[in-house]
Amino acid sequence: MMQVALKDFTQGQSILDLGDVRAIFNYGSLSYMDASNVLEFATDHVRSINKSKFVSKATNIGGWTVLITPYVRDGVQRSELETRNSIIVAEALLSALNSPNMVYEMVYENIVELSPIKTSASAPVFLAINQPPNLQPSALQLLSQSSVNLQALPENMRNRVNLSLRWYRKSSVQGLDGFLSIWIAIEVIGMPDTSNIRPAIESLAKIYQLDYRTAVNRFQLGRIQDFRSKIVHNGQMFPIYSLLIEYLDAIYVDLLMETLNLPHERRAEQVLNYPQFDLGKFINQI
């Protein structure tokens, strides 16, 4: 459920096409088939499926995002991985360019076969994010434009952006996994020359209208890359503060919006200006 009220749906139900995924934003209650209780385990640990517990349920009344993508397109059946990756990329676009709350995490997953009609489902998972979604027409237009611009990129760049979005989506977890996931997302979208950090810094310098050396000192990506290397290559473990992941999240969104030729929002600057965030102090602890 999104953190929105009925008054936020000024246009009623909104439908947005993001490549091969259709996003529907609706206020009300959703009916779905629930499979969260169908698995049963006997005393000998043998798993069985109790079909009687595959039941119809309804959500609470509220704001919901529904993402729909086809398994079969133009008569060709896609793999489950390809289909799920389409959803992940759409989730990441909505999260990065609007609000993580817009894709609060999966409440249910239903797979519908149309001929003959058959429905299967998977269990729900919840993740709470406080930032409310923006459902104003201008915000939805930005999402729509992001998809158009993404599809217009050369194939190799489009593939890199899609891959980076999938890693961005994985970074919603805290700790080392979240840190490494968001760093990989930054590396995929901002570093075309293996692990050379310079292109990403040059992009940030362009976004913030800084010279290269000033951007190096302001954003400290090189030092953070050293931190990542100590974890990955030396096996050193460090406490990962949530604000560091939030900062790298903002760096990623800045690079994403630059790549998709969208208006700059200077997200990293906003995090750097947090009174409680001291990047220099963190860097000096590495």
Side-chain angles (χ1 to χ4, degrees):
M1 182 185 293
M2 294 189 286
Q3 278 186 311
V4 292
L6 179 58
K7 63 181 178 62
D8 297 311
F9 286 78
T10 56
Q11 307 296 311
Q13 184 187 77
S14 297
I15 298 176
L16 182 67
D17 286 328
L18 302 171
D20 54 8
V21 175
R22 171 160 289 186
I24 302 173
F25 308 106
N26 188 50
Y27 192 91
S29 178
L30 300 178
S31 297
Y32 64 98
M33 297 302 296
D34 178 69
S36 60
N37 296 314
V38 298
L39 294 181
E40 296 181 345
F41 295 88
T43 54
D44 56 357
H45 304 293
V46 174
R47 183 181 65 181
S48 62
I49 296 178
N50 187 339
K51 294 181 180 179
S52 67
K53 293 186 177 180
F54 184 50
V55 295
S56 176
K57 286 191 175 181
T59 66
N60 295 333
I61 294 176
W64 299 97
T65 299
V66 179
L67 300 178
I68 304 171
T69 193
Y71 261 118
V72 179
R73 186 175 55 193
D74 298 329
V76 178
Q77 182 168 331
R78 300 194 293 169
S79 68
E80 180 177 352
L81 178 61
E82 183 181 2
T83 305
R84 289 185 181 278
N85 281 343
S86 293
I87 294 291
I88 290 170
V89 169
E91 287 176 338
L93 274 173
L94 295 173
S95 177
L97 301 182
N98 193 287
S99 165
N101 186 265
M102 185 171 273
V103 281
Y104 194 70
E105 264 300 347
M106 185 180 67
V107 175
Y108 69 91
E109 177 185 274
N110 282 182
I111 303 168
V112 180
E113 296 181 28
L114 300 180
S115 181
I117 295 293
K118 185 172 69 173
T119 303
S120 56
S122 59
V125 178
F126 292 93
L127 173 66
I129 299 293
N130 291 325
Q131 181 184 355
N134 183 352
L135 296 177
Q136 295 303 309
S138 59
L140 296 181
Q141 174 57 34
L142 177 69
L143 290 172
S144 181
Q145 190 62 50
S146 73
S147 181
V148 171
N149 293 1
L150 174 58
Q151 298 306 314
L153 291 174
E155 183 180 6
N156 65 327
M157 191 65 223
R158 186 169 65 250
N159 290 340
R160 285 176 52 204
V161 173
N162 282 332
L163 180 60
S164 76
L165 285 165
R166 298 204 293 270
W167 278 104
Y168 171 83
R169 184 62 179 154
K170 294 176 185 290
S171 71
S172 59
V173 299
Q174 294 298 311
L176 282 174
D177 287 357
F179 169 77
L180 293 175
S181 294
I182 191 61
W183 185 262
I184 293 172
I186 290 171
E187 189 170 336
V188 172
I189 200 170
M191 305 180 205
D193 302 318
T194 64
S195 59
N196 184 357
I197 198 73
R198 186 180 183 95
I201 297 174
E202 288 176 342
S203 293
L204 291 170
K206 177 182 176 183
I207 294 166
Y208 288 88
Q209 299 180 315
L210 303 171
D211 62 76
Y212 179 77
R213 181 48 53 186
T214 301
V216 168
N217 294 329
R218 179 157 178 74
F219 299 107
Q220 295 290 330
L221 285 191
R223 294 291 302 279
I224 297 174
Q225 185 180 46
D226 291 342
F227 178 58
R228 170 260 185 201
S229 296
K230 289 179 179 180
I231 295 171
V232 173
H233 301 298
N234 296 345
Q236 294 180 246
M237 296 293 105
F238 301 92
I240 304 295
Y241 302 105
S242 60
L243 279 177
L244 176 62
I245 296 179
E246 185 173 349
Y247 172 64
L248 293 176
D249 179 297
I251 291 284
Y252 173 80
V253 174
D254 280 344
L255 295 174
L256 174 66
M257 299 188 86
E258 168 67 15
T259 302
L260 296 181
N261 195 28
L262 297 172
H264 299 146
E265 295 184 356
R266 298 166 70 111
R267 298 275 190 99
E269 183 176 63
Q270 296 173 34
V271 180
L272 285 170
N273 290 334
Y274 287 174
Q276 68 272 34
F277 183 60
D278 188 340
L279 180 59
K281 181 178 179 180
F282 172 80
I283 292 298
N284 291 332
Q285 292 177 346
I286 298 177

